[in-house]
Amino acid sequence: MNKPLGVYIHIPFCVKRCAYCDFYSGADISLSAEYKNALIKHIRSYKDLHLTVDTVYFGGGTPTYFGADGLCDVLKCIFDTFCVLPNAEISAECNPNTASGDAFKKMRACGFNRLSIGIQSFSDKELSLLGRAHSASDGINTVRSAKKAGFDNISCDLMFGIPSQSVHSFSQSLDRLLSLDITHASSYILKLEEHTKMYADRSSYTFPSEDDICDMIQMCRERMEHYGMHRYEISNYAKSGYESRHNLKYWSRDEYLAFGPSASGFYNGVRYTFTHDINKYISFANGKISLDEALCEKETPSRNDAVSEYLMLSLRLVRGVDKSEFKKRTGKDLDCEYGDKIAPYVKGGFMENGTHLRFTDKGFDVSNTILSDILDFDG
Ligand code: SF4
């Protein structure tokens, strides 16, 4: 049997646009029924390939705003089309206030077994500056109602670098999050992306200083570890056994299929991304335009690109790159290829080089700079 695949479904609907968001998430919700049918048609087109799947991830956008019935119909189609392994990880992203207890129960009953909830902060002031459509108490209630509905594998996102955020307010958000007894957390720095409202208004915000950000990162790491959630990827923490199997596919350069506008996939050695236009995607699923017309990116990485990609992605993981696996996949000896470049970073305490090559905590803080040096690109 070939290695099981991941399946990613993009749900491009949101209650409102957050000030910092540059995802494809603003599609008109009145298209949701048409969109569901398009997804189902597209997914069914894989039926004769008899592919095995062990992770399914509904991301967005806000999948729970699309509704539990729609999500369950699409998931049923995935079960009918692929051989989904019995222990598959089936996740949906969710934002507070977009799913009731009944909706969570329905999702649990139709096969979802993991939720990723976009909490971001437990400060109402910070949530409002981010333009989020929920309050701190909505976040708490959502986690509680998901647990009550039977979800025992819950991840929450927490953000640092938010305008007006202090080390103290981050510390409070962190404590609140950990008191909810979740199994996984992602902690990301707010990135100011061009073409967002926050970018346009950036001069009117007060962002935390670099020193404060460093303190938040360190505090996050220490408190998560204290709570029993180990860091397994540069921005991700989990209780043992609850690491995101779907996201691990991205970092391990394993393959996954993509469905929906702006969704990216990696299959048969080809990386591809669908158009950021829901109408065009629907036309493609209905056979009115070709696959090539529905894609905005398609490339087959060269052998050298594949080597760099594998190194760059797996160095995001705390366990780093398994050197024997690297040789198996790329045919190259990691030390022969990169030994000279790596040596000064090992000497400086930024990397460790044994059976695995990995960043230390100190190295993770400057990993972009080190990677751009080792792989010869602009970081
Ligand atoms: S909820 Fe997420 S996807 Fe939707 S607008 Fe906000 S940041 Fe973007």
Side-chain angles (χ1 to χ4, degrees):
M1 183 176 80
N2 286 333
K3 212 169 183 180
L5 296 166
V7 164
Y8 175 78
I9 314 281
H10 191 73
I11 304 293
F13 308 107
C14 276
V15 176
K16 66 181 268 219
R17 187 125 187 113
C18 300
Y20 60 93
C21 179
D22 76 336
F23 296 128
Y24 180 62
S25 62
D28 180 352
I29 191 73
S30 69
L31 290 172
S32 62
E34 214 181 320
Y35 181 57
K36 183 183 81 177
N37 293 335
L39 281 175
I40 287 174
K41 273 192 191 159
H42 184 195
I43 293 165
R44 276 201 192 123
S45 68
Y46 282 83
K47 177 93 178 157
D48 294 341
L49 297 180
H50 305 290
L51 300 172
T52 302
V53 161
D54 66 348
T55 67
V56 179
Y57 193 100
F58 286 71
T62 306
T64 40
Y65 181 49
F66 181 60
D69 289 337
L71 294 175
C72 290
D73 289 347
V74 177
L75 183 57
K76 183 174 177 311
C77 174
I78 292 172
F79 284 135
D80 291 344
T81 304
F82 301 105
C83 168
V84 180
L85 295 181
N87 67 345
E89 177 191 87
I90 302 178
S91 311
E93 288 179 357
C94 160
N95 281 311
N97 265 353
T98 58
S100 62
D102 282 348
F104 284 138
K105 274 188 204 147
K106 225 176 244 178
M107 288 171 68
R108 191 72 193 89
C110 77
F112 286 91
N113 53 29
R114 183 175 185 274
L115 283 179
S116 173
I117 305 179
I119 295 283
Q120 314 310 350
S121 167
F122 285 106
S123 150
D124 283 336
K125 183 177 175 198
E126 290 166 17
L127 288 169
S128 150
L129 285 167
L130 289 171
R132 301 285 299 178
H134 63 92
S135 66
S137 58
D138 294 333
I140 295 172
N141 293 338
T142 298
V143 175
R144 287 190 180 143
S145 94
K147 285 175 111 172
K148 215 166 149 197
F151 280 98
D152 55 9
N153 188 1
I154 296 180
S155 177
C156 291
D157 290 348
L158 202 62
M159 208 178 247
F160 52 88
I162 302 170
S164 92
Q165 190 178 40
S166 63
V167 176
H168 179 66
S169 73
F170 180 73
S171 165
Q172 285 183 321
S173 285
L174 201 49
D175 281 343
R176 266 245 161 106
L177 184 79
L178 294 176
S179 73
L180 293 171
D181 194 24
I182 52 171
T183 47
H184 187 283
S186 303
S187 181
Y188 293 99
I189 188 161
L190 170 68
K191 269 170 77 185
L192 254 192
E193 304 285 0
E194 272 182 69
H195 314 299
T196 60
K197 184 174 179 310
M198 186 168 275
Y199 185 85
D201 300 343
R202 61 194 181 283
S203 57
S204 62
Y205 295 108
T206 310
F207 291 94
S209 67
E210 277 194 19
D211 281 352
D212 281 356
I213 299 270
C214 287
D215 288 350
M216 291 180 209
I217 295 174
Q218 196 183 341
M219 174 190 291
C220 183
R221 202 162 57 218
E222 288 170 1
R223 220 164 289 172
M224 294 276 187
E225 296 280 349
H226 181 74
Y227 177 75
M229 298 225 281
H230 64 276
R231 189 194 210 187
Y232 70 100
E233 193 265 350
I234 189 162
S235 306
N236 284 279
Y237 300 81
K239 288 193 176 164
S240 214
Y242 288 94
E243 298 82 1
S244 163
R245 286 162 54 197
H246 185 81
N247 288 341
L248 277 167
K249 285 189 191 294
Y250 301 151
W251 303 315
S252 309
R253 208 173 179 271
D254 289 337
E255 296 200 317
Y256 47 94
L257 301 172
F259 300 90
S262 83
S264 293
F266 179 40
Y267 180 54
N268 276 342
V270 180
R271 289 203 178 275
Y272 60 96
T273 303
F274 279 98
T275 164
H276 292 216
D277 177 340
I278 190 170
N279 289 307
K280 214 166 161 190
Y281 176 80
I282 292 173
S283 295
F284 154 70
N286 289 328
K288 292 187 182 139
I289 61 171
S290 68
L291 174 62
D292 278 350
E293 285 171 295
L295 295 177
C296 59
E297 279 171 6
K298 182 180 173 188
E299 65 152 347
T300 307
S302 67
R303 205 171 154 73
N304 280 346
D305 287 347
V307 172
S308 314
E309 254 185 39
Y310 183 57
L311 198 59
M312 197 165 65
L313 292 169
S314 38
L315 278 173
R316 292 185 63 96
L317 295 169
V318 169
R319 69 171 184 238
V321 189
D322 178 338
K323 293 199 291 196
S324 57
E325 178 70 16
F326 182 87
K327 182 144 198 188
K328 212 179 339 166
R329 287 195 183 213
T330 65
K332 299 197 178 209
D333 183 283
L334 199 148
D335 288 313
C336 291
E337 289 292 315
Y338 297 102
D340 290 348
K341 293 230 166 176
I342 288 166
Y345 296 113
V346 174
K347 203 168 167 208
F350 295 96
M351 298 185 101
E352 288 170 359
N353 191 8
T355 57
H356 290 63
L357 174 70
R358 57 181 293 268
F359 281 119
T360 60
D361 283 343
K362 177 173 148 183
F364 265 132
D365 293 341
V366 286
S367 59
N368 280 347
T369 314
I370 298 177
L371 278 172
S372 61
D373 177 37
I374 294 176
L375 298 172
D376 264 335
F377 65 79
D378 295 330

